[in-house]
Amino acid sequence: MDLKGNVALVTGGATGLGRAICEELLKRGACISICDLDSDAGENACDELGKAFGKEKVLFCHCDVTDYVQYEDAFQTTLAEFDNIDIVINNAEIMNDKFWELEVDVNLNGAIRGTLLALQFLGKDKGGKGGMLINIGSAASVKPQISTPIYTATKHAILGLSKACGDSYHFNHTGVKVLAICVGHLDTGASSHSNRFTSSVHEKAWQLDMKGIIPQKTDHVAKGIISVLKEANTGSIWLISNGKAPKEIPYSVATV
Ligand SMILES: NC(=O)C1=CN([C@@H]2O[C@H](COP(=O)(O)OP(=O)(O)OC[C@H]3O[C@@H](n4cnc5c(N)ncnc54)[C@H](O)[C@@H]3O)[C@@H](O)[C@H]2O)C=CC1
Ligand SMILES: CC/C=C\C[C@H](O)C(=O)/C=C/C=C/C=C\C=C\[C@@H](O)C/C=C\CCC(=O)O
């Protein structure tokens, strides 16, 4: 898919999946704004990706998604640099139920801040040109991860946020397509250390959570995310897990 002329803002873009998404976007001709709390990793990613794809195509904005003002500044800086923002990817996260208040503030409140800002900056009803907002969920958005109940709660909430904001009622006003893309386990090895669980019982449950799970390469998932971008309908939910191709999944709710 050709993304020439598009500008994407990616939170948590300095490392892991976020960085892999940035690389895939650049390969397809987009300009990217890496928004991350970690300035060393962010500057490093900016340098490396700038060398590979052109310095003028990559920007790093120091941004803590728990701070609305910093997050808004990142949108302003991106707009000033590239004149437009077409795609926003809410990807920043932590998985650590020991610091559950921070976890909620990054994973859920951060995604809410990013959603409100994307609608403000991209929304046709606010003078923007419309665009796309992708909220990164998890396999734990649809299957409770019993080792980390709070992380699970934040990732479940991503679906409700994306479904409601992506409803065609809102899309008809804003022109902003909203999707949730749920990602299965990655092979980064970052998730296994014991300090992220609230008790030894929870830590033990991690083995149950990981049963039958095939860890995925970040570039496989990043490619899958890009392939979904244009074809997906607003409000749709996608799953990329166990190394398989992306598939659209239903949002199950009881009849009310
Ligand atoms: N690693 C895995 O196995 C899975 C990851 N995911 C999802 O994929 C996404 C990316 O995860 P990973 O790449 O594994 O994470 P990671 O830990 O490798 O990268 C997260 C990035 O977010 C940044 N970040 C953390 N707090 C921030 C804040 N307050 N403000 C701005 N940036 C902040 C970090 O500095 C880091 O660069 C997340 O949304 C996660 O929930 C979903 C399922 C599995
Ligand atoms: C049953 C569901 C199956 C799969 C879901 C999957 O396991 C999942 O969502 C996993 C997410 C893993 C995230 C991994 C790494 C997260 C790293 C950050 O927490 C690191 C950030 C800061 C360091 C603080 C710390 O934890 O020490």
Side-chain angles (χ1 to χ4, degrees):
M1 182 206 312
D2 188 7
L3 291 173
K4 211 166 164 204
N6 283 253
V7 177
L9 184 157
V10 183
T11 70
T15 65
L17 179 61
R19 179 173 164 150
I21 294 171
C22 287
E23 194 162 340
E24 290 303 323
L25 288 163
L26 284 161
K27 279 183 194 162
R28 287 158 180 81
C31 292
I32 54 149
S33 175
I34 300 168
C35 298
D36 205 290
L37 180 66
D38 185 339
S39 289
D40 288 344
E43 297 286 7
N44 184 46
C46 191
D47 280 357
E48 289 181 3
L49 293 173
K51 274 185 196 132
F53 297 97
K55 282 188 173 27
E56 72 290 351
K57 295 201 143 186
V58 189
L59 172 71
F60 170 64
C61 297
H62 171 85
C63 163
D64 182 344
V65 299
T66 68
D67 182 328
Y68 190 89
V69 174
Q70 275 188 35
Y71 206 167
E72 190 173 29
D73 279 354
F75 271 78
Q76 295 283 17
T77 307
T78 304
L79 201 53
E81 179 74 18
F82 295 126
D83 289 332
N84 195 31
I85 303 173
D86 304 279
I87 302 168
V88 174
I89 305 190
N90 276 320
N91 163 79
E93 65 115 19
I94 62 168
M95 186 183 82
N96 194 325
D97 271 18
K98 269 197 173 165
F99 302 110
W100 63 267
E101 284 168 308
L102 177 62
E103 192 178 45
V104 172
D105 210 13
V106 176
N107 298 6
L108 176 55
N109 296 347
I112 293 171
R113 291 180 192 100
T115 298
L116 295 175
L117 285 165
L119 294 172
Q120 181 192 316
F121 278 80
L122 278 60
K124 284 183 176 163
D125 54 332
K126 303 279 196 264
K129 293 200 285 189
M132 220 180 294
L133 167 63
I134 288 87
N135 290 319
I136 302 296
S138 160
S141 297
V142 288
K143 178 177 183 280
Q145 185 159 284
I146 60 174
S147 56
T148 56
I150 317 296
Y151 176 81
T152 297
T154 66
K155 289 298 180 180
H156 269 57
I158 290 296
L159 300 191
L161 175 69
S162 309
K163 266 321 254 192
C165 292
D167 192 276
S168 54
Y169 174 84
H170 289 303
F171 176 74
N172 291 339
H173 284 93
T174 64
V176 178
K177 184 161 96 172
V178 185
L179 313 177
I181 304 187
C182 301
V183 171
H185 199 64
L186 302 172
D187 71 357
T188 52
S191 44
S192 52
H193 78 74
S194 57
N195 286 340
R196 60 182 79 250
F197 306 105
T198 49
S199 73
S200 56
V201 172
H202 288 84
E203 186 179 350
K204 217 167 149 193
W206 176 253
Q207 307 309 323
L208 297 174
D209 285 328
M210 289 299 107
K211 220 170 167 186
I213 300 257
I214 302 168
Q216 314 183 96
K217 300 221 167 301
T218 50
D219 67 330
H220 163 76
V221 174
K223 283 187 174 74
I225 289 170
I226 304 296
S227 75
V228 163
L229 285 189
K230 291 249 156 125
E231 65 170 279
N233 291 319
T234 188
S236 60
I237 301 173
W238 294 75
L239 177 68
I240 309 176
S241 67
N242 291 332
K244 294 187 196 147
K247 63 173 178 190
E248 189 174 350
I249 55 171
Y251 179 67
S252 309
V253 283
T255 307
V256 288

